[in-house]
């Protein structure tokens, strides 16, 4: 019996495991490739942890702007940890198998942290708008209770938006001969393409989840900065305008660092099927690894209070 005939006789199949890849075509130098990846993961985890510690240990940073920054740092640690185990397992030990259910769990958390990142960046843009447009009411508007509620809404929104995704994949019939993934982690778009079934519902819901979260957030961030620029242009002196805009530079850079790779990943998945596999892999790694690495660097360079607080934390550790 031919393999295709054998597969046709299987009414429903879900693979016990998927096979992941690291850098396609570069398997012989995975050991060397693991060095920069290990460095990037270390920088991401250390930098974001230091930001959280600096805000926690410095009373004068107990302000809405820095609370949101702590949320961003905590989320970046989660995003880093969602891909670190499988990526380094592939690069270090050539351990390429991931069970079907483990793949769905990793996929959920990977997309969960991406949606939360987008929402936190939106909350930070709202924080900058209130601080610049109505500085006198700023402490009254963004109280600790309001910030906690915003954080809870962000988490709840991500869970509700993404909760159906694993179950929509669980209902699919997969191809026994299509268990090779395109990355060293589980992407929704990558996993659903391994199915031998109609994935129209998955495509539509995936598009809805992206547009209703990251898509809406990006539009609201643009709206926030349009209003911020309108307010800044109304300020009397150029010095006041420059001072107000300078408080937004770190956030603008963080937005660009997140959304440019998001757009790149979307474009590659939609229109880049003819491109080499290595291009797909590199764009995905940039999307998932680079923002958690760059955000602490951006804020430590552009924000003097954060930089000073991080230095104090490091000095205390050295003295301890």
């Amino acid at each position: 019996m031919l393999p295709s005939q054998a597969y046709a006789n299987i009414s429903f199949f879900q693979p016990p495991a998927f096979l992941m890849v690291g850098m396609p075509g570069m398997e012989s130098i995975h050991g060397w490739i693991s060095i920069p990846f290990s460095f990037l993961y270390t920088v991401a985890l250390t930098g974001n942890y230091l930001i959280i510690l600096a805000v926690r240990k410095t009373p004068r940073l107990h302000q809405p702007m820095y609370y949101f920054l702590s949320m961003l740092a905590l989320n970046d640690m989660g995003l880093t940890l969602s891909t670190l185990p499988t990526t380094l397992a592939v690069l270090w030990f050539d351990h390429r198998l991931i069970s079907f259910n483990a793949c769905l769990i990793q996929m959920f958390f990977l997309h969960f942290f991406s949606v939360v990142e987008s929402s936190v960046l939106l909350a930070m843009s709202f924080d900058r708008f209130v601080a610049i447009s109505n500085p006198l009411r700023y402490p009254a508007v963004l109280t600790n209770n309001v910030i906690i509620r915003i954080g809870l809404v962000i988490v709840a929104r991500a869970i509700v938006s993404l909760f159906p995704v694993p179950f929509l994949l669980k209902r699919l019939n997969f191809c026994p001969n299509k268990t090779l993934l395109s990355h060293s982690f589980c992407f929704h778009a990558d996993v659903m393409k391994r199915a031998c079934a109609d994935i129209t519902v998955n495509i539509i819901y995936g598009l809805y989840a992206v547009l209703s979260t990251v898509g809406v957030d990006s539009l609201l961030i643009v709206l926030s900065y349009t209003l911020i620029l309108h307010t800044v242009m109304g300020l009397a002196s150029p010095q006041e305008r420059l001072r107000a805009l300078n408080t937004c530079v770190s956030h603008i850079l963080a937005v660009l660092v997140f959304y440019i790779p998001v757009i790149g990943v979307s474009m590659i998945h939609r229109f880049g099927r003819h491109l080499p596999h290595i291009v797909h892999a590199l764009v995905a790694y940039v999307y998932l690894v680079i923002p958690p690495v760059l955000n602490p660097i951006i804020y430590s360079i552009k924000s003097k209070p954060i930089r000073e607080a991080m230095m104090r934390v490091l000095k205390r550790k050295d003295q301890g």
Side-chain angles (χ1 to χ4, degrees), residues 13 15-22 30 83-104 106 176 178-181 183-186:
F13 175 79
F18 287 111
L19 194 63
M20 301 177 292
V21 298
H30 270 179
T83 61
L84 181 151
T86 52
T87 298
L88 293 186
V90 171
L91 295 178
W92 280 352
F93 310 112
D94 197 34
H95 182 77
R96 300 169 62 194
L97 285 175
I98 182 170
S99 72
F100 182 78
N101 288 328
C103 182
L104 295 186
Q106 183 188 46
K178 288 175 65 177
T179 58
L180 180 64
L181 299 177
H183 309 287
S184 59
F185 42 79
C186 296

Side-chain angles (χ1 to χ4, degrees), residues 187-242:
F187 255 148
H188 175 249
D190 193 23
V191 174
M192 73 178 179
K193 288 175 184 175
R194 311 298 154 212
C196 289
D198 184 3
I199 58 172
T200 304
V201 173
N202 299 72
I203 293 172
I204 292 172
Y205 189 82
L207 186 61
Y208 162 76
V210 170
L211 292 178
S212 63
T213 54
V214 178
V216 170
D217 292 346
S218 61
L219 292 176
L220 291 177
I221 289 171
V222 170
L223 176 60
S224 295
Y225 272 99
T226 303
L227 296 173
I228 287 171
L229 283 174
H230 182 265
T231 302
V232 168
M233 290 302 107
L235 296 176
S237 68
Q239 290 81 7
E240 288 178 328
R241 294 174 191 171
L242 188 60

